[in-house]
Amino acid sequence: MNAHHRLVLYMLLALLLTCAVSPWMAAGADWFLRDSADRYPFSRIFNRTFMVSGFVLFVAGRKFLRVGGLAGIGLERRPGAAAEIATGWSLATGSVAVLVAGLVAFGIFTPFFRLAPGESVRRVADALASGFFAGSLEEVFFRGILFKGLLASGKTARAFVLANLFYALIHFVKPGERYFLDRPDPWAGFRHLAYTFSPFLDPAELLPGAVGLFLIGLVLSYAFLRSGALYLSIGLHAGWVFGLKIIRVFGDYRRDDLGWLFGETDPKLVSGVAAWIGIALVGAAVHYLTRPGAIDRHARGGA
């Protein structure tokens, strides 16, 4: 069985485990939030369960996948790991800040304090935690396991395309953000899976967002490949999630349609040409920062 066959089998098992476990995860989340007005949509629980299932199966079957331990998925112990995460986070949040400045300049976004100070701090803290949780989990799965698994075939270009096409399209695999479970339903995961492909019936609607997410995936994979570890990618991913989540804490859009430059379709901003240019510039920065010897010098505190 070659690397591709092992990876396909691994993905199918992760999906099957997700379908079986996600309804119970939803029930557990509802119990945990029983005294709260907030609930997690089943689509979000399904997606997060898929990541966790993939990681659990990886740990259990890494010998089958022929990948080593943490070092094998890009989490090797190295002295500059924290600095790489901080560098990626700074690059990503900086790119979002520049994008927001463009929104303000074009009269699309008005900066102001929308929320009370306490609520603003809570939202920022939640965004920070969410960014690093999603960044770590998704980078381990999409880059450390999937992308690296495809690289094992020896065809780098195909690994970049397939891994990041999957990464981009999976963001649209959902029947709706407000889909909840009212009671434990063992078949909910399988039923959810059947309905999740409805967005693909309108490919023109999802194409701009898919392009943006594909470009993000390319940059994250490139950071992983160039740096030899996941830390820079985790920082980038966490920074982008954090930046996009806090935008409306400190202002609001003047209209829903941000135009072709900043995003006509969901996900907003990511589907706009300005974001695509920004992502490409971040990729150029990653290329410069990961030039031969740069990471070692950075870890030692050099220029």
Side-chain angles (χ1 to χ4, degrees), residues 2-281:
N2 61 32
H4 278 88
H5 293 154
R6 290 194 300 271
L7 195 57
V8 169
L9 180 58
Y10 160 77
M11 294 289 290
L12 290 174
L13 288 174
L15 194 57
L16 182 62
L17 181 60
T18 300
C19 289
V21 172
S22 56
W24 308 107
M25 296 290 288
D30 283 345
W31 178 85
F32 184 76
L33 297 171
R34 61 191 182 280
D35 297 324
S36 172
D38 297 327
R39 294 181 67 192
Y40 292 125
F42 185 62
S43 59
R44 184 184 303 176
I45 293 172
F46 187 91
N47 290 343
R48 290 291 177 260
T49 305
F50 181 59
M51 303 299 168
V52 173
S53 298
F55 182 73
V56 169
L57 286 177
F58 168 79
V59 172
R62 61 182 183 272
K63 290 184 178 179
F64 170 76
L65 292 170
R66 297 182 182 175
V67 179
L70 291 178
I73 56 172
L75 292 176
E76 63 182 28
R77 298 182 65 179
R78 53 200 284 176
E84 289 179 58
I85 292 173
T87 298
W89 194 86
S90 300
L91 275 175
T93 54
S95 68
V96 175
V98 171
L99 191 60
V100 172
L103 288 167
V104 174
F106 278 81
I108 297 173
F109 185 84
T110 301
F112 66 98
F113 291 100
R114 293 182 60 244
L115 307 170
E119 180 64 14
S120 296
V121 171
R122 188 187 72 81
R123 294 282 185 93
V124 170
D126 286 349
L128 189 62
S130 178
F132 278 102
F133 176 78
S136 301
L137 192 61
E138 292 190 18
E139 287 311 296
V140 165
F141 182 80
F142 286 109
R143 253 58 65 179
I145 298 175
L146 180 59
F147 176 64
K148 189 166 184 178
L150 289 169
L151 278 177
S153 68
K155 297 183 179 179
T156 304
R158 183 165 66 180
F160 268 98
V161 172
L162 293 181
N164 294 303
L165 188 61
F166 180 74
Y167 168 75
L169 295 180
I170 199 172
H171 285 79
F172 300 95
V173 178
K174 51 189 176 183
E177 288 295 336
R178 308 310 300 172
Y179 172 59
F180 299 97
L181 287 184
D182 294 324
R183 62 185 183 279
D185 181 357
W187 299 104
F190 296 94
R191 191 164 55 250
H192 173 87
L193 184 63
Y195 292 138
T196 52
F197 295 95
S198 57
F200 294 92
L201 297 176
D202 188 3
E205 181 73 13
L206 62 83
L207 182 61
V211 169
L213 290 165
F214 180 73
L215 292 175
I216 287 174
L218 289 180
V219 170
L220 293 171
S221 297
Y222 188 64
F224 174 45
L225 187 64
R226 290 274 291 185
S227 67
L230 282 176
Y231 304 113
L232 182 58
S233 301
I234 288 172
L236 285 166
H237 199 140
W240 271 321
V241 172
F242 172 78
L244 293 174
K245 278 185 172 293
I246 67 165
I247 286 177
R248 296 188 69 246
V249 173
F250 303 106
D252 208 354
Y253 300 107
R254 293 185 177 181
R255 60 176 189 260
D256 291 333
D257 186 347
L258 306 184
W260 62 269
L261 188 59
F262 294 104
E264 293 178 323
T265 62
D266 289 330
K268 295 291 193 283
L269 298 184
V270 175
S271 61
V273 173
W276 301 350
I277 295 172
I279 294 165
L281 291 175

